[in-house]
Amino acid sequence: MTETTPSIAVRRDDHLLTITIDRPEVRNAFDSATSHALDRALDILDDDPTLFVGILTGAAATFSSGADLSALARGDRPETPGRGGFGIFRRPPIKPLIAAVEGFAVGGGLELCLACDLIVAGSDAVFGLPEVRHNLVASGGGLFRLPKRLPYHLAMEMALTGAHYTSRQLSSFGLITHITEPGQAMAGATELATRLLSNGPTALAATKEIIFRSMGWSEAEAWDKQIPIAARAHDTNDRREGLRAFAEKRRPLWTGT
């Protein structure tokens, strides 16, 4: 299945949904139309029980240069009522989403990566939060998500200098999940997605949600708050299938229900 808007292309391969930002003329920068298109694509991922994992990537060997500043100057804001900025920042998908990064992931492009759960990047990919250079503030989650993924002083340096960093530099601090040869990030992300797809899909979604939400919980709160989320995976056909497959020494056949 392939669905394409002027700015976002969506392709389905069995249980995997690949979403491609397709505005190469502006290095895949986001305007309002692109944000709404990504919002709709993530709804497809969340709402279809037969889709288990997503990959977010960019066309023409670059991920995203962030907000379309020309559109922003015209009053065109890259956000949606449901998911917020870029159609993802405030409410990422409930299912695992992998960023496949080539070229530049700067400004909102880096914040897109931070809204994903795993990041696979080419070795020559470049990341940064250059907003301060334009007297802008990185308000797409970068200023509070980045210090949770990197040492405080490095996150502060990135945000205050607006400097660019390579994927190899950031990988040493754990921000990048896997580094590939240039041009191979999508292949690496697909390989990683295949590993995820061997696992139970309702458990994948519940596991992601608990980890994501627990960043705002105390440990005392977490014991109780994880229970209803985990129950969504346990009270499913897939849990019963997983136990049967284990007993019968075969691969499980997941349905997402």
Side-chain angles (χ1 to χ4, degrees):
M1 177 193 78
T2 301
E3 298 180 12
T4 303
T5 72
S7 55
I8 294 286
V10 177
R11 187 184 76 248
R12 175 179 181 146
D13 298 296
D14 200 8
H15 301 301
L16 174 65
L17 191 72
T18 300
I19 303 167
T20 303
I21 311 159
D22 193 11
R23 298 188 76 209
E25 70 280 4
V26 288
R27 294 201 302 180
N28 297 328
F30 271 69
D31 59 4
S32 176
T34 308
S35 302
H36 280 82
L38 180 56
D39 190 308
R40 290 191 296 272
L42 296 177
D43 283 347
I44 293 171
L45 176 62
D46 276 350
D47 296 343
D48 188 336
T50 66
L51 289 169
F52 304 161
V53 176
I55 294 175
L56 179 63
T57 192
T62 197
F63 188 69
S64 175
S65 59
D68 184 335
L69 297 184
S70 296
L72 197 62
R74 298 192 300 270
D76 180 303
R77 300 190 63 80
E79 57 188 42
T80 68
R83 295 182 183 273
F86 286 28
I88 187 174
F89 292 155
R90 184 177 290 273
R91 184 165 63 86
I94 60 175
K95 297 174 184 177
L97 185 63
I98 303 169
V101 181
E102 301 283 359
F104 286 90
V106 295
L110 174 54
E111 291 172 316
L112 278 171
C113 293
L114 296 175
C116 295
D117 306 293
L118 301 161
I119 303 171
V120 178
S123 59
D124 58 351
V126 174
F127 301 80
L129 289 176
E131 280 84 349
V132 291
R133 297 181 184 179
H134 311 287
N135 204 54
L136 299 173
V137 176
S139 56
L143 299 184
F144 53 82
R145 286 179 175 153
L146 197 63
K148 296 175 182 175
R149 320 282 176 88
L150 292 176
Y152 174 87
H153 291 110
L154 176 57
M156 189 66 80
E157 181 180 294
M158 287 185 69
L160 293 182
T161 65
H164 290 167
Y165 293 76
T166 67
S167 54
R168 291 200 183 279
Q169 287 175 298
L170 297 178
S171 177
S172 64
F173 295 101
L175 184 68
I176 313 299
T177 313
H178 295 288
I179 292 181
T180 71
E181 292 298 317
Q184 296 301 307
M186 187 62 201
T190 302
E191 181 181 348
L192 180 57
T194 300
R195 291 169 54 195
L196 268 61
L197 289 168
S198 67
N199 300 320
T202 55
L204 284 174
T207 298
K208 167 189 168 154
E209 185 170 354
I210 291 170
I211 291 176
F212 182 78
R213 291 184 180 276
S214 68
M215 289 187 285
W217 298 341
S218 68
E219 184 166 336
E221 291 174 316
W223 289 108
D224 292 328
K225 289 189 173 182
Q226 70 174 338
I227 292 172
I229 301 172
R232 287 184 230 145
H234 291 163
D235 301 334
T236 61
N237 293 324
D238 278 335
R239 179 172 184 265
R240 291 183 283 275
E241 166 63 9
L243 294 175
R244 280 195 302 268
F246 178 80
E248 296 168 8
K249 296 181 172 56
R250 61 172 175 82
R251 286 175 177 255
L253 300 174
W254 307 122
T255 63
T257 61

